Amino acid sequence: MPIRLPLLPPDPSAPFPPADGATRDPNGLLAMGGDLSPARLLNAYRHGIFPWYSAGEPILWWCPDPRLVFRTDAFALSRRLCRDLRRSPWQVRADTAFAAVIDACARCPRPGQDGTWITPEMRAAYVELHRLGHAHSVEVFDGPRLVGGIYGVAVGRMFFGESMFSAESGGSKVALAGLVRILRGWGWPLLDAQVENPHLLSLGGRRMPRPAFLAEVARLTALAAEPGPWTARVAAFPAAALAGPTPD
């Protein structure tokens, strides 16, 4: 039987349908239509909703249950990666290569996925959010070469991760760890990872029931945090710093 979804009205500030009306299969499909304007996207994220669709489809909006999240005070890299990082020349930066990160995420092959959901329209929408100071990237460089990165959206004191990539083994893990370090330093407790997969679970992602997640989103997005580029707030730092002190 075809799924009948609510169609979003033209007003980007109009309420989304209640999350408990989302489908169970597929998990979390809530609504369709609308646009990818900054106002619509920020409205969605403030309510724990994100767009995800393929080329040729209408815009689809999701709010899955459970939600995969990272607690910034409980994230840890593997001992093996920490050992490698202690002698790594990599450097972590923020908001210095947003377009390059989103382009690399679009090109990155995904298991079981044909093509990319980062359509030209999605790319343009998030580049505009970045220009407005709401979307951010954390990048990992080996000299001048970008070897890993992650990007997402910040609203209040909540960060919603969108996608990450590796051009070298461990690049995405280091980007994620760098983002967690930044958020933890600011007292931001939660990083949304949207939909679970084995890779994210292996990194310490945790399932959170949707009602609990939405309550946290409502609380954290309401807290004061000025939008703007992170380049002035986040100084570049060596990836080796993510490994912690050298064991005795």
Side-chain angles (χ1 to χ4, degrees), residues 6 47 53 64 106 110 113 124 155 163 169 171 184 186 192 204 209 211 233:
H47 296 90
Y53 67 102
R110 314 283 177 180
Q113 183 175 313
V155 182
S163 189
S169 178
R184 185 172 58 237
W186 293 343
D192 174 35
R233 299 183 65 190

Side-chain angles (χ1 to χ4, degrees), residues 11-225:
D11 180 3
S13 64
F16 279 81
D20 58 10
T23 61
R24 294 186 178 181
D25 186 17
N27 181 8
L29 184 53
L30 181 64
M32 63 183 289
D35 55 42
L36 297 175
S37 65
R40 179 91 64 179
L41 287 170
L42 293 174
N43 183 15
Y45 283 108
R46 288 189 185 99
H47 296 90
I49 298 164
F50 60 89
W52 185 28
Y53 67 102
S54 299
E57 293 180 340
I59 301 173
L60 301 176
W61 301 90
W62 301 76
C63 190
D65 185 17
R67 195 69 161 238
L68 197 75
V69 301
F70 288 95
R71 295 282 187 184
T72 61
D73 62 355
F75 181 87
L77 292 170
S78 69
R79 291 183 179 180
R80 179 178 178 181
L81 183 54
C82 287
R83 185 174 64 245
D84 293 342
L85 280 178
R86 290 189 180 99
R87 53 180 183 270
S88 171
W90 291 358
Q91 187 181 65
V92 181
R93 308 175 194 170
D95 276 356
T96 67
F98 183 89
V101 169
I102 196 171
D103 289 344
C105 289
R107 294 191 302 267
C108 186
R110 314 283 177 180
Q113 183 175 313
D114 183 17
T116 179
W117 55 270
I118 304 175
T119 63
E121 293 77 15
M122 287 280 276
R123 181 191 186 279
Y126 284 85
V127 168
E128 176 64 5
L129 272 187
H130 173 66
R131 187 187 71 80
L132 295 172
H134 300 290
H136 306 279
S137 61
V138 172
E139 312 103 19
V140 183
F141 282 90
D142 183 0
R145 183 172 176 241
L146 184 64
V147 297
I150 185 171
Y151 77 95
V153 176
V155 182
R157 297 187 185 183
M158 177 75 197
F159 193 88
F160 302 88
E162 278 294 318
S163 189
M164 59 185 182
F165 84 97
S166 288
E168 294 288 346
S169 178
S172 63
K173 294 178 183 178
V174 172
L176 176 60
L179 173 59
V180 168
R181 181 181 191 254
I182 292 165
L183 299 180
R184 185 172 58 237
W186 293 343
W188 295 23
L190 209 60
L191 165 59
D192 174 35
Q194 298 183 345
V195 180
E196 72 175 74
N197 62 45
H199 177 60
L200 294 176
L201 289 170
S202 73
L203 293 173
R206 301 180 182 184
R207 300 178 183 95
M208 179 180 284
R210 182 166 58 206
F213 173 77
L214 294 180
E216 282 291 270
V217 167
R219 180 179 71 86
L220 293 170
T221 59
L223 297 176

